[in-house]
């Protein structure tokens, strides 16, 4: 009998084309879009540099200053002698305007009290970009003044000019083997994969509620089939669908994202651990979906409750916004989201090259979450059938 329950579920799954589109096409698009959108966030440079207009009179110091900005990975600078701020920002599309006196070196050396370098930008420019520009200006001027001092003191200034190039960073992984640095696609694939797995709620609630309303579950119960095989018959087919999602989303990250100019997904950890993690996420998502389907009277109600809940859990869990850009109190709150447990577990494997010991706590949280909601779903279903 259990074989026919499984067959029934698989037929219902593959007949629901709209639900399959939500489970496969939606996360694939999110992975592609967010991997490209977040590319600069994880990169040490911008594909399109920020345009800087340096407003000053031309001399050798100003030329050197503009040249220094152009050596940066972040800025493309031009010397501008005239033009209103509105024209430079909104018509010539400069991101920043820097107002600097041509005699800035002598003013700094003389400790002129009212010396100031002013910058102007669009209101939409992020503060992080201003701080990058601010630090770059300070570094360029400091190097230039120190270079003059070294030349006067007959000290080789070449060491100072290449000092920043001598400073490097290496990512350390759990197995103590340095690998490739993290990229946006390594955040996007596990994040939207977890999100899409929890959206298994839509096809589960559609079939489960319809079966309750049409009396299908009652008829199956009438031939001495207990509730547990009925619930298990729901879990196994959707578990298979979730694992197909995992494979497809990983392939999207590896092969599709690079076609649009993004980074290719590189997995640092073990594929067996990915299966362990994806299995725990899948079971947690399915058990949660069964609970929502049992407390809902209509498919619309289940979609509304489950959809809103999933979006809130995703927002809190670092799916929509990476955790490292959240304030600390939000990062603390996110640790209570099951999507955060799934995401952190996958990131341990994808990015940090983690072992089973690194993901076991997340596996435990997800299993407890699944058992809790499966128990609640069973109790609600049993109570409803006994009435």
């Amino acid at each position: 009998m259990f074989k026919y329950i499984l067959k029934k579920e698989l037929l219902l799954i593959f007949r629901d084309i709209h639900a399959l589109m939500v489970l496969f096409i939606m996360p694939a698009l999110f992975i592609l879009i967010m991997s490209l959108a977040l590319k600069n966030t994880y990169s040490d440079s911008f594909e399109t540099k920020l345009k800087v207009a340096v407003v000053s009179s031309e001399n050798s110091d100003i030329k050197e200053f503009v040249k220094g900005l152009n050596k940066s990975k972040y800025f493309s600078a031009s010397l501008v002698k005239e033009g209103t701020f509105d024209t430079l920002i909104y018509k010539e599309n400069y991101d920043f305007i820097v107002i600097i006196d041509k005699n800035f070196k002598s003013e700094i050396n003389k400790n002129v009290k009212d010396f100031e370098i002013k910058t102007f930008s669009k209101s939409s420019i992020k503060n992080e970009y201003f701080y990058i520009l601010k630090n770059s200006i300070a570094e360029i001027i400091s190097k230039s003044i120190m270079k003059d001092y070294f030349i006067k003191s007959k000290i080789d200034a070449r060491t100072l000019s290449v000092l920043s190039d001598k400073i490097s960073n290496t990512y350390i992984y759990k197995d103590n083997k340095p690998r490739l640095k993290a990229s946006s696609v390594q955040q996007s694939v596990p994040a939207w994969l977890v999100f899409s797995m929890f959206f298994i709620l839509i096809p589960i609630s559609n079939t489960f509620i319809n079966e309750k309303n049409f009396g299908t579950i009652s008829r199956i119960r009438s031939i001495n089939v207990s509730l547990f095989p009925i619930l298990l018959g729901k879990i196994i087919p959707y578990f298979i669908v979730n694992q197909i999602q995992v494979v497809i989303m990983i392939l999207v990250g590896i092969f599709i994202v690079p076609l649009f100019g993004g980074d290719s997904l590189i997995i640092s950890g073990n594929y067996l651990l990915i299966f362990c993690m994806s299995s725990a996420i899948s079971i947690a998502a399915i058990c949660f979906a069964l609970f929502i389907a049992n407390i809902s009277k209509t498919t619309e109600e289940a979609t509304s409750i489950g959809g809103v809940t999933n979006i809130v859990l995703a927002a809190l869990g670092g799916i929509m916004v990476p955790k490292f850009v959240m304030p600390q109190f939000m990062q603390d709150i996110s640790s209570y989201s099951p999507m955060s447990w799934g995401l952190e577990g996958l990131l341990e494997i994808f990015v940090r090259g983690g072992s089973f010991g690194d993901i076991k706590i997340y596996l435990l949280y997800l299993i407890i979450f699944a058992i809790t909601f499966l128990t609640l779903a069973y109790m609600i279903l049993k109570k409803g059938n006994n009435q």
Side-chain angles (χ1 to χ4, degrees), residues 5 20 91 124 134 136 171 208-209 232 234 240 242 245 256 260 273 275 284 287 328 345 353 366 376:
I5 292 175
L20 290 175
K91 290 187 178 179
S124 58
K134 180 180 178 180
S136 297
Y171 290 88
F208 198 86
I209 292 172
L232 189 61
K234 296 284 182 184
I240 294 171
N242 278 155
Q245 281 181 293
I256 304 300
F260 291 86
L273 294 180
F275 176 72
C287 292
Q328 187 58 48
L366 288 165
L376 290 172

Side-chain angles (χ1 to χ4, degrees), residues 46 146 211 240 247 304 352 381:
F46 296 131
M146 290 297 292
E211 287 180 350
I240 294 171
V247 174
S304 299
R352 300 162 196 150
L381 185 61

Side-chain angles (χ1 to χ4, degrees), residues 15 55 77 101 121 133-134 172 207 223 250 261 287 364 376:
R15 284 175 184 172
V55 179
D101 191 281
S121 68
L133 176 63
K134 180 180 178 180
I172 302 300
T207 58
I223 54 175
I250 288 176
C287 292
L364 178 62
L376 290 172

Side-chain angles (χ1 to χ4, degrees), residues 1-10 13 204 207-208 211 217 220-221 225-241 282-283 286-287 290-291 294 370 373-375 377-378 381:
M1 185 62 195
F2 184 66
K3 178 178 70 173
Y4 296 105
I5 292 175
L6 289 178
K7 182 179 179 181
K8 170 185 69 69
E9 289 299 328
L10 289 170
I13 289 171
I204 285 180
T207 58
F208 198 86
E211 287 180 350
I217 293 178
I220 294 174
R221 290 273 289 144
V225 177
S226 65
L227 288 175
F228 185 75
I230 294 175
L231 290 176
L232 189 61
K234 296 284 182 184
I235 293 173
I236 293 175
Y238 289 103
F239 176 84
I240 294 171
V241 170
S282 174
I283 293 170
I286 293 168
C287 292
L290 288 171
F291 169 74
N294 271 285
F373 281 97
L374 181 61
T375 303
Y378 178 83
L381 185 61

Side-chain angles (χ1 to χ4, degrees), residues 123-296:
S123 58
S124 58
I125 288 290
K126 294 197 296 185
N127 281 337
E128 290 91 336
Y129 297 163
F130 165 68
Y131 288 117
I132 293 173
L133 176 63
K134 180 180 178 180
N135 292 332
S136 297
I137 291 172
E139 181 184 6
I140 291 166
I141 293 175
S142 299
K143 277 186 178 182
S144 182
I145 292 173
M146 290 297 292
K147 183 178 179 181
D148 292 343
Y149 170 77
F150 283 171
I151 290 173
K152 289 178 182 178
S153 303
K154 297 182 180 180
I155 300 173
D156 190 348
R158 287 177 295 180
T159 302
L160 179 68
S161 64
V162 298
L163 182 59
S164 62
D165 297 332
K166 300 293 184 181
I167 303 171
S168 63
N169 180 61
T170 301
Y171 290 88
I172 302 300
Y173 291 81
K174 294 295 176 71
D175 56 5
N176 292 321
K177 295 179 181 179
R179 303 177 190 268
L180 296 176
K181 64 180 181 179
S183 64
S184 61
V185 72
Q186 285 174 302
Q187 161 72 25
S188 298
V189 170
W192 295 106
L193 177 56
V194 172
F195 185 68
S196 66
M197 290 173 78
F198 268 82
F199 261 85
I200 202 77
L201 178 143
I202 292 177
I204 285 180
S205 59
N206 284 342
T207 58
F208 198 86
I209 292 172
N210 285 333
E211 287 180 350
K212 284 198 301 181
N213 293 339
F214 293 139
T216 306
I217 293 178
S218 298
R219 287 196 292 272
I220 294 174
R221 290 273 289 144
S222 67
I223 54 175
N224 293 324
V225 177
S226 65
L227 288 175
F228 185 75
I230 294 175
L231 290 176
L232 189 61
K234 296 284 182 184
I235 293 173
I236 293 175
Y238 289 103
F239 176 84
I240 294 171
V241 170
N242 278 155
Q243 301 317 306
I244 295 173
Q245 281 181 293
V246 173
V247 174
I248 291 177
M249 297 312 133
I250 288 176
L251 293 177
V252 168
I254 294 173
F255 298 108
I256 304 300
V257 174
L259 296 179
F260 291 86
D263 299 312
S264 178
L265 175 66
I266 297 174
I267 299 173
S268 299
N270 188 292
Y271 282 90
L272 181 60
L273 294 180
I274 295 176
F275 176 72
C276 291
M277 201 68 224
S278 67
S279 297
I281 298 167
S282 174
I283 293 170
I286 293 168
C287 292
F288 180 67
L290 288 171
F291 169 74
I292 296 294
N294 271 285
I295 64 172
S296 303

